[in-house]
Amino acid sequence: MRRQAALDFKNGRVNLFHGSGGQAMEQLIDELFVKAFANEMLSAKNDQATFELPPGRVVMSTDSYVISPRKFPGGDIGSLAVHGTVNDVAMSGGRPLYLSAGFIIEEGFALSELREIVLSMAEAAKACGVAIVTGDTKVVERGKADGLFINTAGVGVIENPELSISAAGARPGDKILINGFLGDHGVAVMSQRPGFGFKSDLRSDSAALNSLVAAMTEVCPRIHCLRDATRGGVASVLHEIAIASGVGIELEESELPIREQVLAFCEFIGIDPLHIANEGKLVCFCPAEDADALLEVMRAQPQGTDAAIIGEVVDDSGRVTIRTEYGSTRMVHHLMGEPLPRIC
């Protein structure tokens, strides 16, 4: 029997055979995905993964990643796909355990870039302690997709029965905390687009937040709400929580951690920095008496060194306002449409 040549990861490209279900697809799975993600469940090559879960409530989430450009300062679509879904599970207070990964690849996509992205996913998953245990590969004809799209689903467990974290959990008097500077991801991605006319040395904040959340929930199991501020930015998160909880929210402009470069970018294109997407920032609502202790814990974690208390919850249903540094108050508008497309 003639031996099949190994994939040419230096010069080769993905073709339609790699998604056909035949030998070419099996070779791509064996030589790239199984090797990079390396765990017993994936190596079994079943169409599903079978695993035991620790006692507790099961958490599941899924998201798709279509970012352009695929590589940006501080990350790429691969690490982003891991961080995003890990964070979605972690925002429940759950411990992320397993991920699935689905790839939609355009015919002609370079195998070298696909390998780089898959290795980035593997490194990100290892760093945050999750395993990629099942997946899917589809190849579509040229012009039917913009290179590569990735879908990840995540499963985790809430082991602490005291936790009750929900978008509907905010209460008047709660303090609102954030774990660092806002808008870095959105500006870092946009500044890489050709013809945009804005240069920046900012890096994306893309990061897994499960370790930070674990430290937070350990010291403060009474956290009412957690949400990662991705597409739509902090403003969208605050509006969603205000509506779900039936409360109002007041921010302090002087306490918002925003870099000068992000402010300059927002002034340049005329949008509110609170609408810029992040991929490593969370918003936390907790009882006022727990806020200082929680802030101290957050600042002791690598992903929370620049944490701040940025506002409080008030008894004013559905409104999100901000007290400016000049003493006036303005509305924070709920985002309409998509000002910065494909940055997540």
Side-chain angles (χ1 to χ4, degrees), residues 18-64:
H18 289 123
S20 66
Q23 288 185 10
M25 182 172 165
E26 187 174 343
Q27 184 182 21
L28 180 67
I29 291 170
D30 284 345
E31 295 184 17
L32 181 57
F33 298 115
V34 171
K35 188 174 181 181
F37 298 149
N39 60 75
E40 290 184 0
M41 283 177 271
L42 193 63
S43 297
K45 296 185 186 178
N46 294 315
D47 285 338
Q48 70 291 124
T50 304
F51 45 76
E52 300 285 342
L53 288 173
R57 288 166 286 166
V58 176
V59 185
M60 183 174 181
S61 184
T62 187
D63 207 343
S64 298

Side-chain angles (χ1 to χ4, degrees), residues 65-72 76-77 80 146 148-149 185 189 193 342-344:
Y65 301 87
V66 298
I67 190 169
S68 177
R70 290 182 291 274
K71 187 173 182 179
F72 46 84
D76 58 33
I77 189 173
L80 180 69
D146 187 14
L148 175 69
F149 300 146
H185 173 73
V189 172
R193 292 184 178 172
R342 297 193 56 191
I343 57 176
C344 299

Side-chain angles (χ1 to χ4, degrees), residues 3 30 36 105 208 262 266:
R3 187 171 182 178
D30 284 345
I105 312 168
V262 172
C266 291

Side-chain angles (χ1 to χ4, degrees), residues 5-19 24-25 27-29 31-33 70 103 105-119 137 139 147-148:
L7 287 173
D8 181 359
F9 283 111
K10 184 176 181 182
N11 301 303
R13 292 190 173 275
V14 174
N15 61 53
L16 292 175
F17 290 145
H18 289 123
M25 182 172 165
Q27 184 182 21
L28 180 67
I29 291 170
E31 295 184 17
L32 181 57
F33 298 115
R70 290 182 291 274
F103 296 82
I105 312 168
E106 185 175 347
E107 178 189 15
F109 195 79
L111 281 170
S112 58
E113 184 178 356
L114 181 62
R115 186 188 192 194
E116 184 179 353
I117 290 167
V118 169
L119 292 177
T137 304
V139 180
L148 175 69

Side-chain angles (χ1 to χ4, degrees), residues 65-336:
Y65 301 87
V66 298
I67 190 169
S68 177
R70 290 182 291 274
K71 187 173 182 179
F72 46 84
D76 58 33
I77 189 173
S79 57
L80 180 69
V82 172
H83 294 158
T85 298
V86 163
N87 290 345
D88 285 343
V89 172
M91 292 307 119
S92 67
R95 179 163 65 97
L97 296 170
Y98 302 112
L99 294 182
S100 70
F103 296 82
I104 297 176
I105 312 168
E106 185 175 347
E107 178 189 15
F109 195 79
L111 281 170
S112 58
E113 184 178 356
L114 181 62
R115 186 188 192 194
E116 184 179 353
I117 290 167
V118 169
L119 292 177
S120 175
M121 291 185 73
E123 182 179 354
K126 183 179 180 182
C128 57
V130 300
I132 299 173
V133 296
T134 188
D136 181 56
T137 304
K138 294 289 187 297
V139 180
V140 296
E141 298 173 352
R142 292 179 189 272
K144 301 296 185 182
D146 187 14
L148 175 69
F149 300 146
I150 300 176
N151 172 272
T152 46
V155 174
V157 172
I158 302 173
E159 295 166 298
N160 185 346
E162 295 182 53
L163 296 183
S164 179
I165 299 172
S166 167
R171 298 289 179 266
D174 280 358
K175 294 294 185 183
I176 306 167
L177 292 78
I178 190 111
N179 64 314
F181 288 95
L182 304 179
D184 291 0
H185 173 73
V187 176
V189 172
M190 291 301 294
S191 65
Q192 298 300 304
R193 292 184 178 172
F196 197 75
F198 185 89
K199 297 297 181 184
S200 166
D201 59 1
L202 279 176
R203 294 174 61 82
S204 167
D205 59 8
S206 179
L209 301 175
N210 51 325
S211 295
L212 173 64
V213 172
M216 293 169 65
T217 53
E218 183 175 355
V219 73
C220 183
R222 295 196 301 165
I223 288 174
H224 290 153
C225 304
L226 281 175
R227 186 69 69 87
D228 53 338
T230 55
R231 188 171 49 189
V234 169
S236 293
V237 167
L238 297 180
H239 275 284
E240 290 167 8
I241 292 175
I243 293 170
S245 298
V247 298
I249 289 173
E250 285 186 356
L251 300 178
E252 289 288 347
E253 187 177 51
S254 61
E255 300 301 324
L256 292 173
I258 306 175
R259 301 184 199 277
E260 289 294 331
Q261 287 175 285
V262 172
L263 290 172
F265 172 84
C266 291
E267 185 175 353
F268 180 68
I269 65 171
I271 63 173
D272 190 329
L274 294 174
H275 289 146
I276 301 286
N278 314 271
E279 287 295 342
K281 296 297 179 301
L282 61 80
V283 179
C284 171
F285 291 66
C286 71
E289 57 269 30
D290 293 336
D292 288 340
L294 197 50
L295 186 64
E296 184 177 349
V297 167
M298 293 171 73
R299 287 177 172 173
Q301 296 293 316
Q303 301 301 334
T305 53
D306 298 303
I309 298 173
I310 61 172
E312 63 184 1
V313 178
V314 296
D315 188 12
D316 186 2
S317 183
R319 284 162 49 98
V320 180
T321 60
I322 185 167
R323 285 194 289 267
T324 73
E325 294 178 285
Y326 303 103
S328 60
T329 299
R330 68 173 174 85
M331 297 291 293
V332 176
H333 296 291
H334 205 169
L335 185 63
M336 296 289 290

